[in-house]
Amino acid sequence: DPKSYVYIDLEADNKQIRFTSKNNQPVLKNNISAKRMGIGIKNVKRRLFLYYGDSYSIDILDCTDHFKVELLIRL
């Protein structure tokens, strides 16, 4: 098994907050678990919209070996 990792970067100034995270993908033994994880992403996007309206952007990269999120919130 490969070692797990999580990289987090946070930058902020008086105009915006930029959050980036990258982690390795877990090894799942069945595809049902992988499909059920998508509900969390929908909930996060809905909550971001409720809090920030059009003042944010989120990019989610779901690769076979890693998962990366870039969130930008304009203040």
Side-chain angles (χ1 to χ4, degrees):
D1 292 338
K3 293 195 178 222
S4 296
Y5 66 86
V6 177
Y7 301 116
I8 296 175
D9 185 50
L10 180 65
E11 299 175 34
D13 60 30
N14 60 350
K15 295 182 183 178
Q16 66 184 13
I17 299 170
R18 180 183 304 270
F19 171 83
T20 305
S21 70
K22 181 179 177 182
N23 61 281
N24 62 315
Q25 287 278 20
V27 177
L28 299 174
K29 297 197 176 183
N30 65 39
N31 290 335
I32 295 170
S33 296
K35 290 177 185 173
R36 290 183 12 198
M37 283 192 237
I39 191 77
I41 293 171
K42 287 181 186 179
N43 287 339
V44 166
K45 287 180 177 181
R46 183 175 53 188
R47 186 165 288 176
L48 284 167
F49 180 75
L50 290 172
Y51 289 146
Y52 302 108
D54 293 330
S55 296
Y56 82 95
S57 64
I58 187 167
D59 292 314
I60 301 172
L61 182 62
D62 188 359
C63 296
T64 56
D65 64 338
H66 70 277
F67 188 75
K68 183 175 181 181
V69 175
E70 294 181 344
L71 173 63
L72 177 68
I73 300 172
R74 292 174 292 285
L75 303 174

